[in-house]
């Protein structure tokens, strides 16, 4: 069952699991997947693409006071749910963009895309693979705007809320990684870009370099002066890198 409303819809892919999806713009479909900080951290990405594309931005179950059944408890559950979303809406040539935890989901989706629905992959500050000598550190800063953020629209939290962190730990597991992911990324055949803040202390740039090295033909872009959320902390430089990449592949 799907319930439509202005700017989005809610569906129930499984009994007892409502899924809220923001749906704005028109054109080539873009799927935007947020990280631990929640949907607000991707607001700039949604706005950037909504001018020329149809943007779908789901809220992962467990964020924003949405329910997460106990059985819905790993990355694969999210991956299959979002692949089903693309199938059920017959979306093709989808550009998938994931930040942080959302980048892990986006990467795994692209690996498992047997229906060839995905046409491009962009990840920013993503974790997921095991990278020797580097550990993912979930942000624990109190809620509040990032340094230098001006007044205006509500700013995202600097780290996940307690409920979101609980969901994040449930999905990611104690290791916060999948030791097989780097090997499986060799199956990705679509154009891919890894964008990283040079000052990311949550997921160090070496994770981005490892992602790019594992995906055939993938590119890596390092954003000076940005941390874990380069689309918010250095939007002009970050979106320039993204737009250059998309122009180079004819998108």
């Amino acid at each position: 069952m799907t319930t439509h409303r202005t700017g989005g819809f809610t569906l129930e892919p499984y009994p007892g699991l409502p899924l809220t999806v923001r749906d704005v713009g028109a054109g080539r479909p873009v799927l935007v997947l947020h990280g631990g900080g929640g949907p607000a951290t991707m607001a700039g990405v949604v706005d950037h693409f909504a001018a020329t594309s149809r943007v779908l931005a789901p809220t992962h179950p467990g964020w924003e006071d949405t329910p997460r059944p106990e059985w819905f408890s790993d990355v694969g559950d999210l991956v299959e749910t979002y692949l089903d979303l693309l199938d059920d809406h017959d979306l093709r040539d989808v550009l998938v963009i994931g930040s942080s935890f959302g980048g892990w989901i986006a990467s795994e989706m692209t690996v498992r895309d047997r229906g060839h629905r995905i046409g491009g992959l962009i990840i920013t500050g993503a974790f997921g693979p095991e990278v020797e000598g580097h550990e993912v550190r979930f942000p624990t800063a109190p809620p509040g705007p990032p340094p230098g953020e001006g007044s205006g629209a509500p700013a995202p939290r600097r780290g996940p809320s307690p409920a979101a962190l609980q969901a994040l730990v449930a999905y990611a597991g104690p290791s916060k990684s999948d030791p097989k992911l780097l090997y499986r990324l060799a199956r990705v055949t679509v154009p891919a870009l890894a964008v990283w803040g040079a000052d990311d202390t949550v997921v160090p740039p070496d994770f981005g370099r490892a992602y790019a090295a594992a995906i055939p033909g993938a590119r890596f872009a390092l954003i000076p002066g940005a941390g874990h959320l380069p689309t918010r902390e250095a939007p002009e430089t970050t979106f320039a890198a993204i737009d250059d990449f998309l122009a180079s592949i004819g998108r």
Side-chain angles (χ1 to χ4, degrees):
M1 178 180 178
T2 302
T3 303
H4 292 270
R5 66 185 188 283
T6 302
F9 55 88
T10 299
L11 53 90
E12 191 172 4
Y14 305 103
L17 180 71
L19 179 66
T20 300
V21 182
R22 187 178 177 192
D23 184 359
V24 294
R28 182 197 183 191
V30 177
L31 180 68
V32 174
L33 302 174
H34 67 78
T41 61
M42 300 298 278
V45 177
V46 172
D47 291 344
H48 182 78
F49 283 96
T52 57
S53 308
R54 180 188 180 187
V55 181
L56 299 176
T59 298
H60 309 322
W63 273 259
E64 305 295 311
D65 298 321
T66 58
R68 180 189 63 83
E70 285 298 319
W71 63 266
F72 198 82
S73 58
D74 62 33
V75 173
D77 291 330
L78 289 164
V79 168
E80 295 301 327
T81 297
Y82 295 147
L83 286 173
D84 287 344
L85 176 67
L86 304 187
D87 286 341
D88 293 346
H89 287 76
D90 194 24
L91 300 175
R92 301 179 183 277
D93 196 27
V94 181
L95 175 65
V96 182
I97 303 174
S99 170
S100 190
F101 176 58
W104 182 356
I105 303 167
S107 300
E108 190 66 54
M109 283 182 67
T110 311
V111 170
R112 300 192 197 184
D113 181 28
R114 304 295 186 258
H116 303 288
R117 299 281 181 177
I118 297 172
L121 171 68
I122 298 174
I123 56 174
T124 68
F127 61 100
E130 284 187 353
V131 178
E132 187 175 355
H134 296 280
E135 180 183 357
V136 174
R137 299 176 181 175
F138 285 167
T140 57
E149 187 78 16
S151 60
R157 298 174 184 271
R158 294 173 60 188
S161 69
L165 184 59
Q166 183 179 14
L168 184 59
V169 169
Y171 287 127
S175 69
K176 311 184 194 72
S177 65
D178 179 346
K180 300 178 181 179
L181 180 57
L182 279 184
Y183 301 100
R184 291 202 302 272
L185 289 172
R187 291 188 57 86
V188 174
T189 59
V190 300
L193 172 68
V195 181
W196 244 258
D199 303 324
D200 192 340
T201 58
V202 178
V203 186
D206 279 346
F207 275 80
R209 295 185 179 96
Y211 262 114
I215 299 173
R219 303 182 188 183
F220 175 75
L222 191 66
I223 307 300
H228 190 51
L229 297 174
T231 57
R232 289 193 59 89
E233 297 158 348
E236 185 174 343
T237 306
T238 302
F239 285 122
I242 290 173
D243 291 344
D244 285 348
F245 165 72
L246 294 175
S248 72
I249 62 173
R251 302 297 186 187

